[in-house]
Amino acid sequence: MTQEKLVELLHSMSLKEKVNQMLQVTTGFFTDEKMLTGPTAQGEIGEENISQAGSLIGLFGAEEYRKQQKAFMEKHPHHIPFLDMLDVINGFRTIYPIPLGQGATFNPDLMKKCASMAALEASVSGIHVTFSPMVDLVRDARWGRVMESTGEDPMLNCEFARAQVEGYQGRDVKEAGKIAACVKHFAGYGAPVGGREYNTVELSENTLMEYYLPAYQAAIEAGAEMVMTSFNTLNGIPSTGNQWLMQEILRGKMGFQGVLISDWAAIEELCIHGFAADRWEAASLAAHAGVDIDMMTGVYCSKLPELVETQVLSEKLLDEAVLRILTLKNKLGLFENPYKDADPEKEKEVILCEEHRKLAREAAEQSFVLLKNEEMLPLNPEEKIAIIGPFAEEKEIYGSWSIIAQAQDTVSIADAVRTQTEFPHVSIAKGCEILSPKEYCLVTQAEAEKIQQRVEQQDRTQSSKALWKEAVKTARKADKVILTLGEHKNMSGEAASRADLRIPKIQRKLLKEIYQMNPNITVILFTGRPLDLRQIEKYAKAILVVWMPGTEGGNAIWNVITGAVSPSGRLPMSFPYCVGQVPISYNEYVTGRPCEDSSVSREYRSNYRDIPNEPLYPFGYGLSYTQFLYSKLSLSSTVLKPGEKLEASIVLRNIGDREGTETVQLYIRDCAGSVVRPKKELKAYQKITLAPDEEITVRFEITEEMLRFYRADGSYGSEKGIMGVMIGKDSNIRESAAFELQ
Ligand code: GLC
């Protein structure tokens, strides 16, 4: 439809019909078992609102979608189709690593392919929009949603934000297999005080601009069609009603022209925050902030008509909001083809196809981070291997946002072991559940009940005591133990903040008891966040972080621990020494009393008296099955003039006996600025694969643009002065060279 026709359609709609375009409900409102939530309970969403709702959450399945859309359009006075939205976060049915694991790949191109795969699977099932990518920068592992982020570095987050939007949307969302991206949560949601979910966020404007907004900007520049508001207050004002943030920054400075949707019930929550006195004011504040869609409350559909009739809200502003929604439907081609890609035959063909499984496996393999390896990995065929622990047979290894995923689709480690033939001496023993009943509080009630049912079912064949004993016996008889430990999938994600970052107590007990039997332990760690690994570090000779690896997780893990694939992941987020260190990130300021080496106790320095400053494992860290030697860094010049380039290089050599991939990282420190500058900032990286004895010169170009930042006066640009340059394998790099920016 042409824009003119679209405007004509808009002007042909009544006020209520327009307002109903700004309503989003779940499919429960459409099917027989109506969802009785706040809105219907408050009598705010009636049959007419539902029959004209602009968008839905959670309707998937080509046949069901086509049926619902057909009936809906026949009933709608202007036959306007609804938008169908869903959280497709790390895959639709074929699940790849959680976003924090994606960040560990340091491979945005690979993740773009994964996003494209997810878009294809979702679109043939009727989905038009995904609530992804989540690009919130994170530094606090207590916050459960670090799982959904690509980590603590703004540059890496920008690259992954861009890659995901391009993967979902392609060149044109109307194209088959493409869906619109909704970047979230705007803004600063990843910095809640205390790491406590939905808590207050206080950020200086400089910090917001320098660290937290760039990835949203990258997603918008990549063409993201939608933005979602965040639940939190930012400096005392809830994002969802924050005119400065949404109008001046998002739509003004950042140039976003697409649809702005609230997070779930966030408009209603303006009252609970104590920002709106009542629902009337909440509707007015959100609408004036430019929020176009009210997710899952009746505040808009019950209050906006009157706000317009009493001219508190101009109909012009309302029309702009509705036109943005209609424009998105038009961009998706829904007026010409309201069924878009929804196709039951296509569903059968593409969902979980071998090509998709292969891509998910490759992404998982590249996401794994080897933190420690004292001659444990890779395994060799003649060894007697014991695979022990609650994740040995676990199939729900896909993260808490994989709402369409099905356990039976997933390959567990045990599944992978049972299909391989090269390793004849492998035994499997579960040992214990992920959680004991005392720790069921760490997951939702529903998940706890599922665990309890599994325990009761298990008890019918083997008591938990027998399970434990079998594991200990299996360990004793083995040469090496692969101990699978970590977080339940529901221990991270939304509303999953935690003050204790250790793995569950029952697993810590298993680790110690297995260690007594056999110290040759490799821990395979399933987690949605950085954890306190001091105890695991003490008892394990090798540690492989596998995050939540997804549908092909078992095969990917088996391929890496047997050496078919070398581990190449690098930490996208610091693993703290303990929870007392968080929030922590590699790009902190130096302070006036730095404590460069906290092993030397220094008084009156910026350090703790009881723990080191350094994280247990730093950003960018990861091992491979070989060793790399870095030459001294060389610079093509010690002066960088405006408009010119500088080259920094090192010679990298593989001095081990296996092929390996190294992520060579370039960091820069601006030694003095009108605002203090971080002790280092990742500016570029290159993933280099070398055979044994092979060497290569790794070159990085340094330009003035790379040195720009938000200066004390709020302007964005570089400042002349000395710059330190570091090239290394992770952010712990110290030695550097220097040049002067003139
Ligand atoms: C949730 C989340 C958001 C998600 C939305 C729809 O509360 O905060 O990330 O996209 O609701 O499920």
Side-chain angles (χ1 to χ4, degrees), residues 126-270:
I127 302 301
H128 305 135
V129 182
T130 177
F131 297 127
S132 172
M134 185 273 218
V135 300
D136 300 314
L137 183 129
V138 290
R139 295 171 166 170
D140 192 328
R142 291 171 295 182
W143 190 52
R145 302 195 80 166
V146 300
M147 177 275 273
E148 305 168 51
S149 165
T150 48
E152 70 189 50
D153 181 71
M155 188 203 82
L156 213 53
N157 289 347
C158 287
E159 292 192 348
F160 280 102
R162 204 172 293 119
Q164 292 179 80
V165 170
E166 290 169 358
Y168 290 132
Q169 298 191 167
R171 285 183 311 280
D172 180 344
V173 290
K174 198 177 290 179
E175 280 175 13
K178 293 305 170 191
I179 58 177
C182 174
V183 65
K184 66 187 185 184
H185 305 80
F186 198 75
Y189 182 33
V193 169
R196 200 179 79 220
E197 182 61 285
Y198 312 127
N199 204 8
T200 304
V201 172
E202 295 285 336
L203 295 169
S204 70
E205 190 170 332
N206 184 277
T207 298
L208 185 68
M209 297 298 179
E210 190 67 42
Y211 297 97
Y212 290 85
L213 293 191
Y216 301 107
Q217 182 74 62
I220 290 164
E221 285 168 2
E225 293 292 351
M226 242 168 83
V227 170
M228 182 187 292
T229 70
S230 61
F231 289 118
N232 56 283
T233 54
L234 177 63
N235 303 333
I237 299 179
S239 302
T240 307
N242 192 323
Q243 279 209 38
W244 171 79
L245 184 65
M246 298 302 174
Q247 297 287 20
E248 195 173 319
I249 300 300
L250 179 63
R251 294 202 186 278
K253 193 178 169 74
M254 298 172 77
F256 177 63
Q257 297 174 342
V259 174
L260 180 59
I261 186 170
S262 78
D263 202 340
W264 191 291
I267 293 178
E268 179 178 75
E269 289 175 8
L270 295 179

Side-chain angles (χ1 to χ4, degrees), residues 418-697:
R418 293 183 183 115
T419 51
Q420 62 83 28
T421 53
E422 308 81 41
F423 287 71
H425 316 297
V426 182
S427 49
I428 299 169
K430 181 175 173 178
C432 67
E433 289 297 330
I434 295 171
L435 292 169
S436 67
K438 291 194 202 76
E439 291 184 299
Y440 283 173
C441 65
L442 296 177
V443 294
T444 57
Q445 178 72 24
E447 289 296 335
E449 282 162 9
K450 272 169 63 178
I451 298 172
Q452 191 50 33
Q453 280 157 18
R454 208 160 61 171
V455 169
E456 284 157 11
Q457 198 173 355
Q458 170 80 45
D459 278 352
R460 288 190 207 108
T461 51
Q462 195 178 19
S463 73
S464 48
K465 199 183 275 302
L467 216 58
W468 189 277
K469 280 175 130 172
E470 185 196 351
V472 173
K473 197 171 92 193
T474 305
R476 187 171 46 235
K477 291 191 296 186
D479 298 317
K480 287 181 180 172
V481 174
I482 300 292
L483 189 51
T484 64
L485 304 173
E487 287 189 321
H488 183 279
K489 71 174 172 74
N490 188 243
M491 285 174 69
S492 58
E494 185 172 354
S497 290
R498 229 174 42 241
D500 183 340
L501 293 179
R502 295 174 297 172
I503 58 173
K505 193 169 179 183
I506 182 90
Q507 295 182 40
R508 303 201 299 267
K509 193 162 168 275
L510 181 67
L511 169 63
K512 280 193 271 191
E513 194 147 337
I514 295 296
Y515 177 77
Q516 301 306 326
M517 285 301 133
N518 187 334
N520 294 328
I521 294 173
T522 293
V523 165
I524 306 291
L525 185 73
F526 292 78
T527 185
R529 70 175 93 205
L531 294 173
D532 172 349
L533 298 186
R534 284 175 295 166
Q535 194 175 48
I536 289 179
E537 212 285 330
K538 181 178 167 191
Y539 291 116
K541 288 185 177 173
I543 304 171
L544 183 70
V545 178
V546 298
W547 313 105
M548 291 291 162
T551 306
E552 283 288 314
N555 284 331
I557 292 167
W558 183 253
N559 288 343
V560 168
I561 63 176
T562 57
V565 172
S566 284
S568 60
R570 295 292 180 270
L571 292 181
M573 193 175 171
S574 309
F575 270 54
Y577 178 83
C578 66
V579 71
Q581 262 186 356
V582 299
I584 183 172
S585 63
Y586 82 91
N587 51 1
E588 295 171 334
Y589 296 146
V590 176
T591 78
R593 296 191 178 188
C595 185
E596 290 311 318
D597 176 359
S598 56
S599 61
V600 178
S601 72
R602 306 270 299 275
E603 298 196 356
Y604 302 104
R605 312 304 303 174
S606 176
N607 64 348
Y608 304 94
R609 288 195 170 161
D610 53 350
I611 60 170
N613 283 6
E614 296 73 25
L616 197 62
Y617 298 103
F619 171 84
Y621 177 83
L623 303 175
S624 69
Y625 287 150
T626 188
Q627 291 76 41
F628 291 95
L629 185 65
Y630 284 68
S631 72
K632 202 165 160 18
L633 189 159
S634 68
L635 289 177
S636 59
S637 165
T638 56
V639 169
L640 176 58
K641 292 190 169 68
E644 292 184 357
K645 290 176 183 161
L646 188 55
E647 182 183 274
S649 63
I650 55 103
V651 175
L652 183 74
R653 183 179 181 77
N654 178 345
I655 56 173
D657 56 9
R658 298 175 72 92
E659 180 184 90
T661 299
E662 180 76 331
T663 300
V664 181
Q665 300 156 42
L666 169 74
Y667 293 90
I668 288 184
R669 183 195 170 191
D670 184 341
C671 296
S674 56
V675 292
V676 292
R677 310 291 293 118
K679 56 178 80 166
K680 55 175 73 86
E681 295 174 281
L682 179 69
K683 291 296 183 185
Y685 58 88
Q686 293 180 37
K687 292 188 80 163
I688 307 284
T689 300
L690 295 177
D693 280 340
E694 190 182 1
E695 75 172 37
I696 188 172
T697 300

